[in-house]
Amino acid sequence: MTLERMILLGGLLHLSLLIAAAQVPKILDYRGQLARVDVHLRRLIWVHGVFIVLTLAGFGVLSLAQAAALAGGSALARAFCGFVAVFWIARLAVQVFVFDESGLARTPLLKLGYHALTAVFVYLAVVYGWAALA
């Protein structure tokens, strides 16, 4: 598989993460949990969530629309891919060292989803890291 095709798959994976992101408020009971916190903190959490969604959508759309350019190795392409790789390396570190799987994955389906997300984060970090360094 070529780097361009791997970036195209990365774009699809970014957009597919939006499906997982849409499930987070229900799975983590945002409505009930956030009802107990200060209104400013509640709004801040929702705003952060919206910006994460916008970031994932941007990474996905740019990857799908400009896969050839991103695989081409220009300075801008390498910088963008480097940023995306650092983003996913940091997110992967949070997944491994900060989140406690037992508290998040309470059912077999959620456990599978948790591990699938980890695999997606690894794929994105490796592909965009490779594109940044190639």
Side-chain angles (χ1 to χ4, degrees):
M1 184 182 293
T2 65
L3 181 56
E4 180 179 349
R5 287 183 186 220
M6 286 189 263
I7 291 172
L8 282 170
L9 178 56
L12 292 173
L13 288 172
H14 278 108
L15 296 179
S16 72
L17 287 172
L18 296 175
I19 296 167
Q23 305 306 310
V24 169
K26 181 180 178 187
I27 292 169
L28 297 181
D29 185 27
Y30 270 24
R31 186 169 300 230
Q33 295 296 324
L34 294 178
R36 297 182 242 173
V37 301
D38 177 74
V39 67
H40 299 293
L41 179 58
R42 185 178 325 132
R43 288 179 184 158
L44 180 66
I45 290 169
W46 280 107
V47 167
H48 283 182
V50 168
F51 277 92
I52 290 168
V53 165
L54 290 172
T55 299
L56 294 178
F59 287 173
V61 169
L62 286 170
S63 295
L64 291 173
Q66 297 297 322
L70 292 174
S74 72
L76 180 58
R78 292 176 60 169
F80 175 80
C81 289
F83 176 77
V84 174
V86 168
F87 179 94
W88 288 113
I89 290 166
R91 181 57 182 86
L92 186 58
V94 168
Q95 186 86 347
V96 172
F97 298 114
V98 176
F99 289 152
D100 174 16
E101 172 195 347
S102 64
L104 297 171
R106 297 177 301 273
T107 68
L109 184 59
L110 289 176
K111 282 184 185 197
L112 176 64
Y114 182 88
H115 293 300
L117 284 175
T118 304
V120 169
F121 301 160
V122 169
Y123 177 87
L124 294 170
V126 168
V127 167
Y128 288 90
W130 179 21
L133 299 173

